[in-house]
Amino acid sequence: MEWENQTIRVEFFLKGLSGYPRLELLFFVLILIMYVFILLGNGTLILISILDSHLHTPMYFFLGNLSFLDICYTTTSIPSTLVSFLSERKTTSFSGCAVQMFLGLAMGTTECVLLGMMAFDRFVAICNPLRYPIIMSKNSYVPMASGSWFAGVVNSAVQTMFVVQLPFCRTNIINHFSCEILAVMKLACADISGNEFIMLVATTLFTLMPLLLIVISYSLIISSIIKISSSEGRSKAFSTCSAHLTVVIIFYGTILFMYMKPKSKETLNSNALDATDKLISMLYGVMTPMLNPLIYSLRNKDVKEAVRLLKERFISK
């Protein structure tokens, strides 16, 4: 699958788990089950946040956005990955690859920024509860959520635009399950230092800055909770942000594990991902969206009650 002296790509070959047919079948079943849970769990959270008037608050507005985002994020890659597991044809068109790059990066960036906005919401709710209705009014939280989506779209559009303009004349084999932007960049037969610099700036702005906001917010939240005299008050205050904190730890913890864990010399020299790295990468894109609804429903009485009422409404019909 090599091309020489060409700069126009018609299609790319997604290597995925080629060479591991038994693993492909196993992970087809596993990922399909997880995808169904993602659709049902996040779809339910979106539905109750719309139908239940008690959940018409900034926190659940952000949660509804996060659930919709998780559905969009997984839908950009999982269906095509499932098809590739069962099909001998594992190719994707250049335009299809560009669309997948754009959507995947846009959803990932939006989630980072949105988690930062949710941390700020929890900070105001716990550290400044009397002014919470004023600070987090509809005129504030709607633009905050919209700004998260806008940041994701702009960042992804800029990075994808620069990547698709690169010449690809070495190989068309992407050593990944999907058109992940870094994996595609490595196929270019040109200097990609400019693209890497843009990616570094974008990572700083849209990944590390939201993480810094989260760290500062929770540092102030913990400091405020410690000052509460009663143990019941401390427990109640912590319970309002524990679900979001759990999601943040899983989301950023998996990113740090993926990109900062030491690689073997063979992997570094061959510039290729082994099967374990690929599976971790794939599960990262599925595990967090699947766990989010579970975390919020298990730790939140309002969500449990809203789900119960939703069940009764459908049963009565």
Side-chain angles (χ1 to χ4, degrees):
M1 302 281 297
E2 299 282 343
W3 277 295
E4 297 294 339
N5 300 321
Q6 269 185 261
T7 58
I8 300 176
R9 286 285 161 262
V10 177
E11 61 183 13
F12 288 107
F13 176 81
L14 299 171
K15 191 174 181 181
L17 284 175
S18 297
Y20 302 90
R22 292 183 179 179
L23 277 180
E24 283 189 323
L25 183 58
L26 172 64
F27 275 88
F28 172 83
V29 176
L30 180 63
I31 298 300
L32 177 61
I33 292 172
M34 294 172 76
Y35 184 52
V36 171
F37 274 104
I38 288 169
L39 296 178
L40 291 176
N42 287 286
T44 301
L45 281 180
I46 293 171
L47 198 59
I48 62 174
S49 66
I50 294 173
L51 297 179
D52 195 321
S53 59
H54 296 96
L55 302 184
H56 292 174
T57 62
M59 184 177 78
Y60 293 106
F61 179 77
F62 287 129
L63 181 57
N65 273 265
L66 183 64
S67 295
F68 180 66
L69 179 65
D70 284 338
I71 290 175
C72 293
Y73 180 72
T74 51
T75 302
T76 62
S77 59
I78 290 181
S80 60
T81 300
L82 291 175
V83 171
S84 72
F85 280 153
L86 298 181
S87 173
E88 293 184 3
R89 180 178 173 82
K90 302 180 186 297
T91 57
T92 182
S93 66
F94 182 79
S95 58
C97 193
V99 170
Q100 197 174 70
M101 272 193 299
F102 170 77
L103 292 175
L105 186 58
M107 298 302 108
T109 302
T110 302
E111 182 151 1
C112 288
V113 180
L114 191 62
L115 287 174
M117 298 296 103
M118 294 174 75
F120 177 76
D121 171 70
R122 293 299 81 206
F123 158 71
V124 177
I126 294 173
C127 298
N128 209 339
L130 296 179
R131 297 193 63 199
Y132 181 76
I134 300 172
I135 297 174
M136 296 302 298
S137 65
K138 192 172 184 178
N139 291 333
S140 298
Y141 67 78
V142 171
M144 287 167 67
S146 302
S148 301
W149 287 91
F150 181 74
V153 170
V154 170
N155 174 45
S156 183
V158 171
Q159 292 203 53
T160 304
M161 180 183 66
F162 279 102
V163 170
V164 298
Q165 291 177 354
L166 291 170
F168 297 93
C169 54
R170 291 172 182 164
T171 178
N172 71 331
I173 300 175
I174 299 176
N175 199 20
H176 213 279
F177 292 101
S178 61
C179 292
E180 196 266 335
I181 192 165
L182 192 57
V184 176
M185 278 170 53
K186 290 179 180 178
L187 301 182
C189 53
D191 181 19
I192 61 171
S193 58
N195 297 76
E196 290 176 334
F197 176 74
I198 292 171
M199 184 172 286
L200 177 63
V201 173
T203 301
T204 303
L205 288 176
F206 303 118
T207 303
L208 298 182
M209 291 300 288
L211 179 59
L212 180 61
L213 176 61
I214 291 169
V215 170
I216 293 173
S217 296
Y218 275 101
S219 297
L220 295 172
I221 287 171
I222 293 171
S223 175
S224 180
I225 290 176
I226 292 173
K227 294 177 182 177
I228 298 175
S229 56
S230 68
S231 58
E232 184 181 350
R234 286 195 298 270
S235 176
K236 185 177 180 180
F238 184 73
S239 67
T240 63
C241 61
S242 58
H244 175 256
L245 183 59
T246 305
V247 169
V248 167
I249 292 172
I250 293 173
F251 181 79
Y252 277 100
T254 314
I255 291 177
L256 291 173
F257 176 79
M258 281 174 54
Y259 292 104
M260 297 185 71
K261 73 183 183 71
K263 297 181 182 293
S264 65
K265 291 182 179 179
E266 181 183 350
T267 302
L268 288 170
N269 293 334
S270 65
N271 200 28
L273 292 169
D274 59 22
T276 304
D277 288 334
K278 292 176 185 177
L279 293 175
I280 291 172
S281 175
M282 179 176 61
L283 289 174
Y284 154 72
V286 180
M287 192 66 71
T288 306
M290 185 187 72
L291 290 177
N292 284 354
L294 188 63
I295 292 168
Y296 277 100
S297 61
L298 286 177
R299 291 176 169 270
N300 195 299
K301 293 180 180 179
D302 292 334
V303 172
K304 288 181 181 178
E305 180 64 18
V307 171
R308 186 186 66 79
L309 292 175
L310 184 64
K311 286 181 182 177
E312 290 179 356
R313 182 181 298 183
F314 278 103
I315 291 173
S316 63
K317 290 183 179 181

